[in-house]
Amino acid sequence: MQSDEKIQAHLVSVWRESKNFFSIGGKEGMLVLTDKHLMFVHKTDAKMRWWQAIRQRQVISFLKSKNTMIRHDGYNESNLIEDIKNKKNIQISFDDILNISHEEKEWGSILLLEYKKDGKQQKYQYSIAQDWVKYPVKEPTKYMKVDWEPFVQYIKDRQKFTK
């Protein structure tokens, strides 16, 4: 992340599942869109109390408006710079994105992302969870219906080349 980058969208309670062959399970995290990168933050220094409050606020926001281009109080560029230092978190340049699209499913909305990082091609599906089960493993039980179009278009408009 560069020092002049600004957060354009910040989504919490995002469930990421690999679409690669033989992949099982998923991870919860934050999807952060800056003016130059897309980042999936799985490990954060954000406090659990903040996370719970923001997650509840985000659900209410999406029930009012489905637009994914939102930001949350209490998490800014300096927090993101600290979080992205953790190697478990992923930072993707827009030009490394090979394909980005979205789909509506009966159960919720998904963002489909294919990118090349460190010479390896990756495919993931992202969705925003509304409710969770915590035992025996944490997994979403209900997903949100959101509008991924502005999010996708923001990235496509800033790619130096189109595919």
Side-chain angles (χ1 to χ4, degrees):
M1 182 171 167
Q2 299 165 7
S3 60
D4 64 335
E5 276 185 76
K6 299 290 179 215
I7 295 173
Q8 301 300 315
H10 175 212
L11 304 168
V12 299
S13 204
V14 175
W15 186 249
R16 180 186 80 170
E17 292 182 80
S18 177
K19 299 311 287 174
N20 293 326
F21 203 55
F22 289 126
S23 296
I24 300 172
K27 289 187 176 184
E28 180 188 14
M30 299 185 286
L31 201 55
V32 182
L33 179 66
T34 70
D35 35 16
K36 297 179 183 164
H37 294 94
L38 179 61
M39 302 174 199
F40 182 73
V41 177
H42 173 64
K43 297 289 183 183
T44 182
D45 290 337
K47 303 284 186 243
M48 186 59 80
R49 188 175 284 161
W50 172 85
W51 183 271
Q52 299 290 32
I54 290 302
R55 199 170 84 195
Q56 289 170 345
R57 223 180 298 157
Q58 179 177 272
V59 167
I60 293 166
S61 292
F62 281 137
L63 292 173
K64 292 178 184 174
S65 167
K66 300 191 180 311
N67 188 354
T68 51
M69 296 298 285
I70 60 173
R71 291 193 58 180
H72 298 293
D73 295 338
Y75 192 89
N76 58 31
E77 288 79 5
S78 61
N79 299 113
L80 183 57
I81 288 169
E82 282 304 307
D83 282 344
I84 211 66
K85 288 177 184 175
N86 188 320
K87 298 292 181 213
K88 292 183 179 183
N89 296 328
I90 298 165
Q91 176 175 247
I92 307 159
S93 169
F94 293 160
D95 289 332
D96 289 338
I97 296 173
L98 304 172
N99 192 9
I100 185 166
S101 61
H102 58 93
E103 288 181 13
E104 283 301 313
K105 301 287 187 181
E106 188 176 307
W107 49 267
S109 309
I110 58 172
L111 175 71
L112 298 165
L113 183 67
E114 187 176 344
Y115 63 89
K116 198 166 201 163
K117 185 93 171 148
D118 301 326
K120 290 169 56 178
Q121 198 160 321
Q122 305 283 333
K123 279 184 171 180
Y124 287 101
Q125 161 181 310
Y126 298 86
S127 46
I128 299 173
Q130 181 175 346
D131 291 322
W132 297 86
V133 63
K134 290 187 170 65
Y135 182 82
V137 287
K138 188 172 186 177
E139 281 197 52
T141 57
K142 187 174 182 184
Y143 295 91
M144 301 292 302
K145 291 216 177 224
V146 298
D147 182 10
W148 286 109
E149 182 59 31
F151 200 91
V152 169
Q153 199 58 51
Y154 186 90
I155 292 170
K156 286 183 176 181
D157 289 348
R158 282 152 186 82
Q159 287 181 309
K160 290 189 177 86
F161 56 94
T162 54
K163 297 173 174 47

